Amino acid sequence: GQVYAKWVTPSLHPKSSLFDLMQTLMGKLEEGAMIDPVKLKGKPCRILLKNIEKDGATYQRIDRVLAPAKQKDETVISS
C-alpha cells in the first residue's frame, strides 16, 4: 500500500485538528486528559483523499481521517 501523511499543529486544544484526529481514532476524549500522539502510529483508520492539480501534475492529499469501518466487507465507491 501507499503511505500518506498529514501534518498538524502540535496542539491538543479542543478545536485543533490533532484533537479531532485523536478523537476520531481513540474515541471521546475528556478536556485536559493526558494524550500521547505516538499511540496513533499503526492505528487502523480510513482516509478520504482529495486530488490536487499543481503545475500540471495531480497529487493526492488527505482530506479527512475517519474511524475504521465497523464491517470488514465495506464497499468502496470511487468517483
Side-chain angles (χ1 to χ4, degrees), residues 8-59:
V8 294
T9 302
S11 167
L12 289 174
H13 185 275
K15 292 186 178 182
S16 73
S17 57
L18 178 58
F19 186 85
D20 183 51
L21 174 67
M22 292 191 76
Q23 260 197 162
T24 297
L25 299 176
M26 300 177 78
K28 186 150 175 76
L29 301 172
E30 298 294 324
E31 190 173 338
M34 296 298 292
I35 302 167
D36 184 5
V38 175
K39 290 183 178 180
L40 294 178
K41 185 176 181 178
K43 197 116 167 110
C45 67
R46 295 177 296 155
I47 57 173
L48 182 62
L49 299 174
K50 186 176 194 176
N51 288 337
I52 305 293
E53 291 189 31
K54 184 177 179 181
D55 299 327
T58 302
Y59 302 92

Side-chain angles (χ1 to χ4, degrees), residues 1-6 47 49 60 62:
Q2 290 185 299
V3 175
Y4 294 94
K6 179 174 179 139
I47 57 173
L49 299 174
Q60 291 183 321
I62 295 176

